[in-house]
Amino acid sequence: MSHLLVDVNIWLTDSDEAAANLASLKFSQSHRAADPKDPARIITTTTTTTFSMTREMARGICQHFMDAHLIENAADLTSPSFKERGIYMVTPKGTHMLERFITKNGISATHIAHIFAEQPIHVKMLHLERRSSDDEIIISKSVIEVIWRRVAGAQPNMTKLTDDELQQQLLSRWFNKPVKLEELNVEDGLVVRKVQKDDKKGDEFHFTALGLTNWLTEFTSCGGLDEAAELSAHLVRYGLISLVHDRGKVKDHNMVLSVKAGGAGGGAGAMMVSLS
């Protein structure tokens, strides 16, 4: 039996505090087992791991947190970069991942229990299995089909909002009591638009590549845009989605990702090409 203690102080913090916390991060893990010489006696072994890093390295780690949608800029939700003198907060995904970590490892976290009760937590997060050898996401046809079922949802998650209205709603947060323009639960699946086919035989459901990668980063345990893009490429590979049209231009710094085999995160068979 193991017991892990960790001090967390990043619910609402600035870049200086976050960097300082990471610079002196400490984990203490206690393992209790029966004494081989006396089974009735319990021996407790405690291992303490301390991480020491420079401020620059700490900022880099925080950037990875942002890439994985674990934290976000409280003052500018559209900002993808971890900046100096910014104010940051934990996302619903970040809260979910922390709560799961606490539960899985038996962590004593009574000091933040009220946070889990008050702040929103993604309850429909899809946790992806990873290889123990290199931490790459395990990719197979069945895994991609599971991902697709979660992306598509039980039924199309359609919207009639304009792009600006949809962006406004997606960037609304629980604490500012936003006025909902449309009842739209993003956890139920990727937001799509219903479009009639050119031959007028049936309908298609369209979405943007950025919308898909953002959804995958938000509602699965993938660690950033690179893994989300590769998972998206596997959806194309297995014929689950297809390109309708490409409005991208070279100056837009678009990325094209193609896969043949292998795991997400830059594994064998994955190739990302920059058009910029």
Side-chain angles (χ1 to χ4, degrees):
M1 179 179 179
S2 62
H3 186 65
L4 190 65
L5 299 175
V6 59
D7 182 27
V8 179
N9 181 25
I10 196 172
W11 298 106
L12 185 59
T13 183
D14 61 30
S15 54
D16 289 333
E17 292 174 328
N21 285 344
L22 285 173
S24 57
L25 195 61
K26 180 183 294 185
F27 289 92
S28 295
Q29 185 169 17
S30 297
H31 179 75
R32 293 188 294 173
D35 187 344
K37 299 180 180 179
D38 182 5
R41 181 170 175 265
I42 300 298
I43 298 177
T44 301
T45 304
T46 301
T47 302
T48 300
T49 304
T50 301
F51 295 86
S52 179
M53 62 184 77
T54 64
R55 180 181 178 82
E56 194 63 30
M57 184 180 297
R59 289 183 68 250
I61 295 295
C62 289
Q63 181 62 57
H64 283 301
F65 291 160
M66 291 199 72
D67 294 340
H69 288 197
L70 300 176
I71 63 173
E72 60 189 2
N73 190 321
D76 182 8
L77 297 176
T78 62
S79 174
S81 303
F82 187 81
K83 302 176 181 178
E84 293 284 356
R85 299 180 181 178
I87 301 297
Y88 297 87
M89 62 184 180
V90 177
T91 65
K93 175 183 177 179
T95 308
H96 173 102
M97 299 297 285
L98 183 57
E99 184 185 47
R100 186 172 187 265
F101 178 75
I102 288 172
T103 302
K104 187 176 180 180
N105 293 280
I107 296 173
S108 176
T110 55
H111 61 299
I112 57 175
H114 68 285
I115 298 293
F116 298 129
E118 296 171 359
Q119 293 190 190
I121 301 176
H122 286 331
V123 297
K124 298 182 180 179
M125 280 280 298
L126 179 59
H127 293 270
L128 305 171
E129 296 295 326
R130 294 177 179 270
R131 297 196 298 254
S132 58
S133 58
D134 55 11
D135 203 39
E136 299 288 346
I137 296 175
I138 297 174
I139 294 297
S140 67
K141 185 177 181 180
S142 60
V143 169
I144 296 301
E145 288 175 348
V146 168
I147 292 173
W148 171 242
R149 286 194 292 269
R150 292 294 295 271
V151 170
Q155 58 185 6
N157 196 9
M158 293 184 295
T159 182
K160 294 182 180 180
L161 298 178
T162 66
D163 289 343
D164 290 340
E165 290 172 336
L166 180 60
Q167 181 76 346
Q168 178 184 343
Q169 184 149 327
L170 292 178
L171 291 178
S172 64
R173 293 297 180 266
W174 61 278
F175 54 82
N176 58 16
K177 297 181 180 179
V179 177
K180 288 192 175 182
L181 303 174
E182 186 178 73
E183 288 298 326
L184 197 64
N185 189 349
V186 187
E187 285 193 65
D188 290 337
L190 179 66
V191 177
V192 298
R193 299 185 187 282
K194 188 176 181 179
V195 180
Q196 189 176 55
K197 291 183 179 180
D198 292 336
D199 58 11
K200 298 184 179 181
K201 296 180 180 179
D203 300 304
E204 293 180 333
F205 297 98
H206 292 184
F207 52 87
T208 65
L210 182 59
L212 175 58
T213 52
N214 278 336
W215 192 95
L216 288 170
T217 307
E218 184 73 18
F219 295 103
T220 75
S221 59
C222 70
L225 177 61
D226 55 344
E227 289 188 342
E230 191 166 339
L231 292 175
S232 302
H234 281 292
L235 292 175
V236 175
R237 170 193 174 200
Y238 284 111
L240 298 170
I241 62 176
S242 60
L243 179 66
V244 177
H245 51 71
D246 183 6
R247 295 178 178 176
K249 299 179 181 179
V250 173
K251 66 179 182 180
D252 292 332
H253 303 286
N254 293 330
M255 303 297 291
V256 174
L257 185 68
S258 62
V259 291
K260 296 180 180 178
M271 181 175 64
M272 182 178 287
V273 181
S274 172
L275 297 181
S276 59

